[in-house]
Amino acid sequence: MKLSLADATAWAAEVFARHGCSADNARAVARALVTAEADGLKGHGLTRIPTYLTLLKSGKVDGQATPVATRAAPAVLAIDAAHGFAYPAIDLALRELPPLAASQGVATAAIHRSSHCGAAGWHVERLANANLVALMVANTPAAMAPWGGRVPVFGTNPIAFAAPRDGAPPLVVDLSVSKVARGNLVAAKQRGEAIPEGWALDADGHPTTDPAAGLKGTMTPLGDAKGAALAAIVEVLAVCLAGAALSASASSFLDGEGGPSGTGQLIIAFDPRAFGHDRFAPLMTALAASITTQDGARLPGARRFALREVAVRDGLVIPAEALAAAQPQT
């Protein structure tokens, strides 16, 4: 089945509403999954529908949850996602942060009792579209051991960053601190495909090309010890500051076993106008040009915007596993 982005969003929203989400929550989840799919980030796209529906059915995610924001300090929002999907809580943060950053120069939203946040680059991209520089970190259930260890302590703990550019799409960086996002293993397992060696280790600590074995084992950190150190930094920001569940105690995003995951996200928005000069825009232009004028180099985020343009023009093919999971239960 091939649908336009608007129709794919409406279809996905209807699926989530039928499986227990409020209308607002269903739309928030659908927008996030469809955007990730359009951007070529399949591991965070529509292939997530089967596991998301499992989370709803088991009660690990409350489809009726309403996130609540509290002003913890003049420039700090504390957001309780109420064990719902992360997307409504993130959407709430993205509505509140721009005016707060405009008044304070820098503003932060710390989200707790949350869940899988999907493609984090899209969240910071929206702040960049509001002329803010944005940084987001999130923790995920433990899937990566500290460097030299065997027992998972950290999640793949994504880091995303975006900065606006005059008359052009923003610079967007979106990475996990593992060599690849765990969603890539999930997608490979669903397709029955092998994964490249070096992505993950099995439960005995050996390199594996079997995504199922990798999901039972640990992810390989990006840059070896440096990636494990970055995971620890994210854990401090997204968990210890936000008051969320440590990755080591968070239940899986991938099944209905256990209670709510309770993970956290931290988003920081910087207003360039607050930094005492008017050189931000020309400096960003010069920085971008120093990258894009080199043969073979591209600005971070360029690939996702190019793929999104194609998806806007041609629509999306709905994955078979998403279609199967979305069928009404009899």
Side-chain angles (χ1 to χ4, degrees):
M1 183 169 71
K2 194 170 193 178
L3 298 173
S4 68
L5 296 194
D7 287 346
T9 302
W11 171 80
E14 189 277 329
V15 169
F16 283 103
R18 183 160 29 91
H19 284 80
C21 277
S22 68
D24 287 345
N25 290 351
R27 283 192 293 270
V29 175
R31 283 194 302 268
L33 296 187
V34 168
T35 302
E37 190 78 18
D39 290 359
L41 305 169
K42 306 296 185 182
H44 293 308
L46 296 173
T47 58
R48 284 276 175 173
I49 287 178
T51 52
Y52 276 17
L53 295 182
T54 298
L55 297 177
L56 281 171
K57 184 177 180 180
S58 69
K60 284 181 75 168
V61 167
D62 181 358
Q64 298 292 319
T66 300
V68 176
T70 302
R71 183 76 70 85
V76 179
L77 293 173
I79 298 181
D80 182 359
H83 293 313
F85 283 111
Y87 306 114
I90 292 169
D91 287 349
L92 174 59
L94 300 191
R95 289 194 298 271
E96 298 285 340
L97 282 173
L100 193 56
S103 66
Q104 301 294 325
V106 179
T108 302
I111 303 171
H112 67 285
R113 297 209 300 170
S114 192
S115 187
H116 179 249
C117 71
W122 181 53
H123 309 315
V124 290
E125 175 196 333
R126 288 182 283 168
L127 288 172
N129 289 335
N131 294 314
L132 299 171
V133 175
L135 175 70
M136 177 176 177
V137 293
N139 81 308
T140 67
M144 196 165 65
W147 189 245
R150 288 285 185 87
V151 179
V153 170
F154 308 124
T156 56
N157 289 12
I159 300 171
F161 175 84
R165 294 195 296 145
D166 274 358
L171 178 153
V172 178
V173 176
D174 188 353
L175 56 88
S176 65
V177 296
S178 55
K179 284 191 176 178
V180 297
R182 205 159 186 246
N184 291 339
L185 272 68
V186 176
K189 180 183 176 184
Q190 290 173 335
R191 295 192 300 265
E193 297 175 359
I195 58 172
E197 188 168 317
W199 281 14
L201 307 176
D202 65 19
D204 296 320
H206 300 133
T208 183
T209 60
D210 179 357
L215 289 169
K216 292 178 181 177
T218 60
M219 303 296 292
T220 305
L222 176 72
D224 300 329
K226 294 178 182 179
L230 284 172
I233 292 172
V234 172
E235 202 82 6
V236 172
L237 296 174
V239 176
C240 300
L241 283 183
L246 289 164
S247 292
S249 62
S251 63
S252 174
F253 292 156
L254 304 177
D255 58 48
E257 299 176 9
S261 298
T263 51
Q265 293 94 31
L266 185 83
I267 307 171
I268 307 173
F270 305 86
D271 186 345
R273 298 170 298 181
F275 285 78
H277 64 83
D278 59 1
R279 298 189 299 278
F280 177 82
L283 286 170
M284 278 296 303
T285 299
L287 173 62
S290 71
I291 297 169
T292 58
T293 54
Q294 297 189 40
D295 290 341
R298 69 180 182 213
L299 202 67
R303 180 178 179 273
R304 72 169 60 208
F305 292 127
L307 290 173
R308 191 184 300 173
E309 285 185 10
V310 173
V312 168
R313 184 189 68 218
D314 298 341
L316 292 176
V317 175
I318 307 301
E321 57 267 38
L323 287 171
Q327 292 299 314
Q329 297 178 349
T330 58

